[in-house]
Coordinates of all heavy atoms in Angstrom, one line a residue:
D20 N -122.9 112.7 65.6 CA -122.7 114.1 65.6 C -122.2 114.5 67.0 O -122.5 113.9 68.0 CB -123.9 114.9 65.3 CG -123.6 116.4 65.0 OD1 -122.6 116.7 64.4 OD2 -124.4 117.2 65.4
F21 N -121.4 115.6 67.0 CA -120.8 116.1 68.3 C -121.1 117.6 68.3 O -121.0 118.3 67.3 CB -119.3 116.0 68.3 CG -118.7 114.6 68.1 CD1 -118.7 114.0 66.8 CD2 -118.2 113.9 69.2 CE1 -118.2 112.7 66.7 CE2 -117.7 112.6 69.0 CZ -117.7 112.0 67.7
H22 N -121.3 118.2 69.5 CA -121.4 119.6 69.6 C -120.8 120.0 71.0 O -121.0 119.3 72.0 CB -122.8 120.2 69.5 CG -123.2 120.3 68.1 ND1 -122.9 121.5 67.4 CD2 -123.9 119.6 67.3 CE1 -123.4 121.3 66.2 NE2 -124.0 120.2 66.1
S47 N -126.0 126.2 63.4 CA -127.4 126.0 63.4 C -127.8 126.1 64.9 O -127.1 126.6 65.8 CB -127.9 124.7 62.8 OG -127.3 123.7 63.6
A49 N -127.7 123.6 66.6 CA -126.8 122.6 67.2 C -127.5 121.4 67.9 O -127.1 120.9 68.9 CB -125.8 123.3 68.2
D50 N -128.6 121.0 67.2 CA -129.4 119.9 67.7 C -128.7 118.6 67.3 O -128.8 118.1 66.3 CB -130.8 119.9 67.2 CG -131.7 118.9 67.9 OD1 -131.2 117.8 68.2 OD2 -132.9 119.2 68.0
V51 N -127.9 118.1 68.3 CA -127.0 117.0 68.0 C -127.7 115.7 67.6 O -127.3 115.0 66.7 CB -126.1 116.7 69.3 CG1 -126.9 116.1 70.4 CG2 -124.9 115.9 69.0
H54 N -129.2 116.1 64.0 CA -128.1 116.1 63.0 C -127.6 114.6 62.8 O -127.3 114.2 61.6 CB -126.9 116.9 63.4 CG -127.2 118.4 63.5 ND1 -126.3 119.4 63.9 CD2 -128.4 119.0 63.1 CE1 -126.9 120.6 63.8 NE2 -128.2 120.4 63.4
A55 N -127.5 113.8 63.9 CA -127.0 112.4 63.7 C -128.1 111.6 62.9 O -127.7 110.8 62.1 CB -126.8 111.8 65.1
I69 N -124.6 115.7 56.0 CA -125.4 116.9 56.3 C -124.6 118.2 55.9 O -125.2 119.2 55.5 CB -125.7 116.9 57.8 CG1 -126.8 117.9 58.2 CG2 -124.5 117.0 58.7 CD1 -127.4 117.8 59.6
Ligands
ZN1 ZN1 -124.4 119.0 64.4

Side-chain angles (χ1 to χ4, degrees):
D20 194 37
F21 302 78
H22 279 278
S47 65
D50 190 323
V51 71
H54 293 179
I69 194 169

